[in-house]
Structure formats: structure tokens, C-alpha cells
Amino acid sequence: MPQYRHEWKHAINLADRIAIRQRLRAVAQPDEHARDGRYWIRSLYFDNLADKALREKIDGVNRREKFRIRYYNGDVSLLHLEKKSKLNGLGTKYQAPLTAAEAQAITDGQWDWMPTSGRPLVQELYSKMKSQGLRPKTIVDYTREPFVYAPGNVRVTLDYDIRTGLRCTDFLNPDCVTVPAGDAPTILEVKWDAFLPAVIQDAVQLGGRHAMAFSKYAACRIYG
């Protein structure tokens, strides 16, 4: 079972991003899956008619979860259904693989195969689509620069160019139109297990900045 990890986020500007990138390159390693130090992410988030996931995030509910389907660098041969859970400020993530056909079936409302998929997370999503009314809600696109540091199992990411698909949920279509999510900042996110090494604390330190709750999904819901 995935363990809960510490995590915090900062909203930063372009100058901050450049400075932190340079510091991280000196002490951490780029994620091995990145291409030229970055990759592009597309996610399809789920919510219900009452916007449960959105409202719980905005209200800072102590225990909450959200579902999404995600792929990287336009490669739909490897998709994952993910559930992110938060409890007492700690976070964890559960994953299950999906084929492109399965992901398309979910977005098209063809769910009969889900209860017998043999994947507990797929079955859980099906249950909550039936009981809570979860449905594909919006596309979230962005660019990520990821860094890792082995002591403390630290992962630092810089996320920017956040775009929203408005109400479009055809996220496997590369021609699906997305637009900038307002004036969304760069998001500096740091995750770690038991301790955060001082060298990483120093690398991401910014005067006058405070940890904040920021949701790319919430930012991408500004248009509805």
C-alpha cells in the first residue's frame, strides 16, 4: 500500500523558477523519465454535479480524494487511473493501468467492463461513478520539470504552462483545444518521506514565500 508522504507547494514567478532550477541542478538529479529535463502531462479529472472534489479542495477538507486519468508526452500507450488522497496534510497516490480503449470507454460512458476489470482502483471508480455521480470533468495540461534526491526520497517539481480544456473531456484527442488557466503561476512542489534534507531546503528556499494550497484542477475550473 502506498505510504503517506509530506508535501507542500509554493506559487512562484518566472525569476524564482529560473533560480530554483539552477540550484536544484547543482544538488539533485533530473527524473530519469524526463526528456531534456521536462515532460508534458495531460490529466482528465473527475468530479460530481455538486463539484465535491473542487469544493473539498477549496474548503481545505482534512480528508479528501480525487480521481484522474493521466498520460505523459502524448504517449497514450501508457495511461494510469490515479486516486490522490490527502489526510492531515499528508498525501498518497494509488494507480492502476488503463489501455487507451478503456480510458475512451470511461469518457464515453461505457462502464460495463469496469466491475470485472480485476483492478481494485478501476472497480472503486466505477462504484463512485454509480453512487456519487463522478464523471469526467475537465482536462488539465502542463509542463513539469522534475528533480529527485535519494536521501529522504525527495521529489521536487516545477509545474508551469497550466492549461485547461474548459468542459472538453475528449482528452485522448491531440487536437482538443486547451487555453491558459488564467494567470496561473509556476507551482513548486516538494514531497518527501520522513525528513527533508537541509540541502534541498536551501535549494528551494525563497524569501517572503509561504506554503500554500494550490490545485491545478481548481485553477482549470475557472471557466466552469
Side-chain angles (χ1 to χ4, degrees):
M1 176 178 291
Q3 73 176 86
Y4 280 85
R5 283 162 52 84
H6 299 272
E7 57 181 63
W8 51 249
K9 299 179 183 180
H10 288 279
I12 62 176
N13 59 35
L14 177 58
D16 295 333
R17 186 207 308 172
I18 293 170
I20 290 176
R21 176 195 292 138
Q22 292 304 111
R23 294 181 210 158
L24 288 170
R25 284 176 175 173
V27 299
Q29 299 296 319
D31 185 301
E32 63 180 318
H33 300 295
R35 301 176 181 175
D36 297 322
R38 61 179 61 88
Y39 47 74
W40 174 81
I41 298 174
R42 168 165 284 187
S43 300
L44 176 65
Y45 281 82
F46 291 74
D47 214 332
N48 66 10
L49 288 175
D51 289 329
K52 178 177 181 289
L54 177 63
R55 293 182 181 278
E56 288 182 348
K57 174 63 179 179
I58 293 172
D59 294 341
V61 173
N62 187 51
R63 183 168 190 160
R64 60 185 187 269
E65 66 183 23
K66 59 188 174 187
F67 286 85
R68 67 192 181 202
I69 302 174
R70 171 169 288 188
Y71 63 99
Y72 299 86
N73 295 324
D75 182 6
V76 298
S77 68
L78 182 62
L79 296 99
H80 285 99
L81 170 64
E82 299 181 346
K83 181 179 79 168
K84 286 202 69 178
S85 298
K86 293 293 288 288
L87 177 63
N88 298 325
L90 302 177
T92 194
K93 182 171 68 176
Y94 303 85
Q95 289 185 324
L98 289 176
T99 66
E102 289 171 339
Q104 189 66 56
I106 291 173
T107 61
D108 291 343
Q110 300 168 4
W111 310 333
D112 291 349
W113 59 275
M114 296 175 72
T116 57
S117 66
R119 283 157 282 174
L121 189 59
V122 174
Q123 294 165 333
E124 181 182 352
L125 175 61
Y126 172 80
S127 175
K128 290 177 177 175
M129 291 174 84
K130 300 293 281 188
S131 64
Q132 298 180 11
L134 288 185
R135 296 290 186 274
K137 198 71 171 185
T138 194
I139 293 169
V140 177
D141 290 344
Y142 58 95
T143 297
R144 166 166 287 177
E145 294 186 33
F147 298 86
V148 295
Y149 189 78
N153 189 24
V154 178
R155 182 175 177 82
V156 182
T157 54
L158 297 165
D159 296 340
Y160 51 91
D161 292 342
I162 302 169
R163 301 177 65 86
T164 175
L166 304 176
R167 292 183 178 274
C168 175
T169 58
D170 191 15
F171 83 127
L172 295 182
N173 179 358
D175 297 323
C176 180
V177 175
T178 62
V179 299
D183 57 352
T186 293
I187 303 304
L188 164 66
E189 184 170 315
V190 185
K191 297 181 180 180
W192 70 97
D193 288 345
F195 69 99
L196 182 61
V199 65
I200 297 297
Q201 293 186 49
D202 292 342
V204 300
Q205 187 65 40
L206 288 168
R209 304 293 196 281
H210 300 283
M212 61 171 291
F214 184 92
S215 166
K216 288 182 283 290
Y217 169 60
C220 287
R221 287 293 309 282
I222 60 176
Y223 297 105

